[in-house]
Amino acid sequence: MTELQTPRLCLHAIDAAEGERIVGRRAGAGDAWAEDFPFDGDVIGVTAFLTATAAHGDQRPFGHYRITRTADGKAIGGIGFKGQPDDGCVEVGYGLAPSARGHGYAAEALVALLNVAADHGLSRVVADTTLDNVASQRTLERAGFRQTGTNRDLYLYEVLLGAPSRPARTQ
């Protein structure tokens, strides 16, 4: 599995070579990027992915995915798992280029990742966001997450897979 499809997006599991292009902000011959992709959040997330890949090998399906808008074929952000599952739980992170924000793409991509986690027998997915990032808090809630607490300057969220409040599969 290297691609996940949603109604408006394609999530492509990146490899180390693509990760290096994203971190270096150098599009390759076959790359189609939005004008403001990658942004700093992409570089941070992909750098963590590259570090994990160098230490532990291929991370798929619990790696990093490039988010591509199918309407124009442009890369608009990234989403991924922050490591391999542990005791039925995995953490996710995501970000969109500024030009792609406000259209519900992040929540749509999150639901696709929740499906991957559920399909691999996981029971819980967690995420966090800063206290002042209201847009990210709303994104997590739209994808079925609920706030579980705080940790200094972060709100902590989780979704229990298989719970009735979880959004239905996209496709």
Side-chain angles (χ1 to χ4, degrees):
M1 166 190 40
T2 58
E3 292 195 350
L4 306 170
Q5 298 290 324
T6 74
R8 301 179 299 159
L9 305 170
C10 174
L11 280 59
H12 173 77
I14 69 168
D15 59 15
E18 184 172 0
E20 293 291 344
R21 292 194 308 275
I22 292 169
V23 168
R25 300 177 193 252
R26 294 179 314 273
D31 294 329
W33 293 355
E35 290 292 320
D36 52 353
F37 176 85
F39 75 109
D40 292 344
D42 291 309
V43 172
I44 292 166
V46 173
T47 298
F49 162 78
L50 290 172
T51 300
T53 300
H56 306 291
D58 188 5
Q59 300 296 298
R60 288 178 283 193
F62 296 102
H64 191 86
Y65 295 79
R66 180 192 69 235
I67 301 172
T68 300
R69 186 174 41 218
T70 55
D72 62 4
K74 301 279 185 178
I76 57 170
I79 190 166
F81 297 96
K82 294 182 175 183
Q84 296 296 303
D86 183 27
D87 197 26
C89 180
V90 69
E91 184 177 2
V92 295
Y94 55 90
L96 292 175
S99 65
R101 295 175 187 163
H103 301 282
Y105 296 136
E108 187 173 322
L110 267 171
V111 171
L113 277 198
L114 294 178
N115 292 335
V116 170
D119 289 348
H120 285 83
L122 301 185
S123 58
R124 190 167 76 108
V125 177
V126 298
D128 61 49
T129 188
T130 57
L131 302 177
D132 63 343
N133 193 342
V134 175
S136 186
Q137 294 161 27
R138 288 184 181 147
T139 294
L140 288 164
E141 291 164 2
R142 275 194 304 276
F145 286 76
R146 66 178 181 85
Q147 186 184 340
T148 60
T150 60
N151 183 2
R152 289 184 219 129
D153 62 341
L154 297 174
Y155 282 130
L156 308 176
Y157 284 82
E158 76 173 0
V159 63
L160 301 177
L161 302 175
S165 63
R166 190 171 153 244
R169 284 182 178 269
T170 57
Q171 187 71 359

